Amino acid sequence: MTMEMATLGGGCFWCLEAIYQEVNGVQHVESGYTGGHVNNPTYEQVCHGTTGHAEVVCLTFDPNIVTYRTILEIFFTIHDPTTLNQQGNDVGTQYRSAIYFHSEQQKKVAKQVMAEMANVWDAPIVTTLSAIEKYYKAEDHHQNYFRSHPLQGYCAFVVSPKLAKFRAMFLHCLK
């Protein structure tokens, strides 16, 4: 079995993590940081917006079960790729919409999907596309956050509705 990785930033990593944990074929989801200039950043540093890092999820998936294209189609459905450095009330460069590709094939697929999605959204897509460089795993208490804290305010009012939208739209992708 050959596994692939995908790294995506689309606002708070708790939202993306909760959704991709339910996708059939995604074997592992990890919250982390990438795209910045500070080595081994902390959550607090990233939240201050001075590290250049985005909050991201790094997915390990089986392409025989779920394709990279499908992962990106989910990505463009569960966040707003037209708002620069913002998702809802989460504002700052750490919440930017970003795809970090792991191969030239992923880059090619991402460009195709982005072009297709440009016809779906009413405003221009601001999602950045760049090669993954250094990735840093987020602190342990940020892993499996929604599953561990479903009644926490942000989870109840932000993550849960996104998860419900995903479940309704991608029933065929659920584990």
Side-chain angles (χ1 to χ4, degrees), residues 36-165:
H37 58 273
V38 173
N39 290 331
N40 300 307
T42 65
Y43 180 73
E44 289 75 22
Q45 289 174 313
V46 173
C47 283
H48 282 101
T50 58
T51 66
H53 288 289
E55 288 190 16
V56 297
V57 290
C58 185
L59 315 173
T60 303
F61 67 98
D62 183 343
N64 296 310
I65 299 173
V66 62
T67 65
Y68 185 64
R69 169 176 280 281
T70 299
I71 285 171
L72 293 181
E73 288 169 351
I74 293 168
F75 173 71
F76 280 107
T77 302
I78 61 175
H79 87 293
D80 184 347
T82 68
T83 54
L84 185 63
N85 301 327
Q86 179 178 356
Q87 288 298 305
N89 291 328
D90 293 330
V91 179
T93 57
Q94 67 271 27
Y95 301 116
R96 65 187 174 267
S97 177
I99 299 169
Y100 297 93
F101 58 87
H102 291 255
S103 68
E104 286 301 312
Q105 180 61 26
Q106 283 189 355
K107 179 180 178 181
K108 179 181 172 186
V109 171
K111 283 184 174 185
Q112 291 170 346
V113 173
M114 290 172 72
E116 292 166 12
M117 291 297 149
N119 297 318
V120 173
W121 289 89
D122 293 334
I125 290 179
V126 297
T127 305
T128 60
L129 177 63
S130 55
I132 186 74
E133 292 183 11
K134 291 184 179 180
Y135 164 83
Y136 302 95
K137 179 182 176 183
E139 295 83 349
D140 287 344
H141 62 274
H142 290 293
Q143 308 303 325
N144 296 304
Y145 195 85
F146 178 75
R147 288 183 176 173
S148 300
H149 308 284
L151 301 179
Q152 185 262 7
Y154 187 90
C155 291
F157 294 106
V158 178
V159 182
S160 285
K162 284 189 176 196
L163 194 53
K165 177 183 178 182

